[in-house]
Amino acid sequence: MVIHTNTTDTKTAAILLAPGFEEIEALTPFDLLRRAGIDTTLVSVENKTGCTGTMGLEVTGLTPMKDYDFTKADALIIPGGPGYEVLEQNQEVTDLIQSFGRDKTLGAICAGSSIPGKLGLYKDRDYTVVPDLNGDFGGTFEKVHAVISGNIVTGISVGGAFEFALDLIRVLKSPEAADDIARATCWTL
């Protein structure tokens, strides 16, 4: 496994939310990345300041997509849940996924992980995705909580959200920073 570690001080990440997003898959990375000192923003693809998740949680204070400068972000994160279909059908979102998958850090979990797969970003890479949505993505599927493959981090589902977030920290900051967060949150006892 190769981990690309960035060493500049402040990293930034955007988590894209659409109605029906999976709360744990969006909010666990949001929380842990923030704890690691990564400036993380919840971004509404519908250009609203609120969005309702798949379990009915209403999240407010979102940044509308039209107001977020993705050129300054170091990472783009795609949660799962039924909202992945909204993301998948948005050309601006799929263009961003392709761009981050080529040039920056891309994180995708559960059903959200199927989108980069369909866009061909897993060719010759290891990845994970919720098993029901695994397709012929040109790479090697691993049935584990999270996978780092170069600049792309994938998570399997809700049960892998913590490891997925820690892997994002490993890539964006360092393995030591992820270990610190794992200890501070009692993930590692």
Side-chain angles (χ1 to χ4, degrees), residues 14 30 50 54 64 99 110 143 155 160 171:
F30 176 81
T54 191
S99 175
C110 195
K143 193 172 184 180
V171 170

Side-chain angles (χ1 to χ4, degrees), residues 16 18 27 35 39 86 104 153 156 164 176 179:
L16 296 184
L27 300 181
R35 288 173 192 262
D39 182 12
V86 174
K104 295 186 178 186
V153 179
I156 197 163
F164 171 70
E176 295 78 20
D179 291 345

Side-chain angles (χ1 to χ4, degrees), residues 1-151:
M1 163 178 42
V2 175
I3 298 175
H4 296 279
T5 304
N6 298 315
T7 56
T8 58
D9 292 333
T10 304
K11 295 295 179 187
T12 60
I15 301 175
L16 296 184
L17 298 187
F21 70 92
E22 175 53 61
E23 289 94 340
I24 291 173
E25 296 167 1
L27 300 181
T28 299
F30 176 81
D31 181 285
L32 296 183
L33 269 64
R34 284 254 176 130
R35 288 173 192 262
I38 298 166
D39 182 12
T40 307
T41 304
L42 296 172
V43 178
S44 165
V45 298
E46 290 195 323
N47 290 308
K48 297 179 180 178
T49 58
C51 189
T52 303
T54 191
M55 293 288 114
L57 179 67
E58 173 82 23
V59 178
T60 61
L62 305 180
T63 298
M65 190 168 170
K66 65 181 177 55
D67 296 336
Y68 189 82
D69 186 355
F70 289 95
T71 65
K72 295 182 179 176
D74 297 296
L76 180 70
I77 301 166
I78 309 299
Y84 91 97
E85 293 175 331
V86 174
L87 300 175
E88 185 174 53
Q89 295 168 9
N90 182 314
Q91 186 65 50
E92 186 177 358
V93 169
T94 58
D95 289 347
L96 283 169
I97 291 170
Q98 288 180 342
S99 175
F100 276 81
R102 282 190 310 269
D103 303 324
K104 295 186 178 186
T105 299
L106 177 64
I109 185 168
C110 195
S113 288
S114 69
I115 303 169
K118 292 173 188 174
L119 294 172
L121 293 173
Y122 299 152
K123 184 173 175 24
D124 301 323
R125 291 180 179 260
D126 296 334
Y127 68 93
T128 194
V129 62
V130 64
D132 290 350
L133 292 179
N134 187 28
D136 183 13
F137 296 146
T140 303
F141 169 75
E142 293 187 27
K143 193 172 184 180
V144 295
H145 283 143
V147 173
I148 297 171
S149 185
N151 65 313

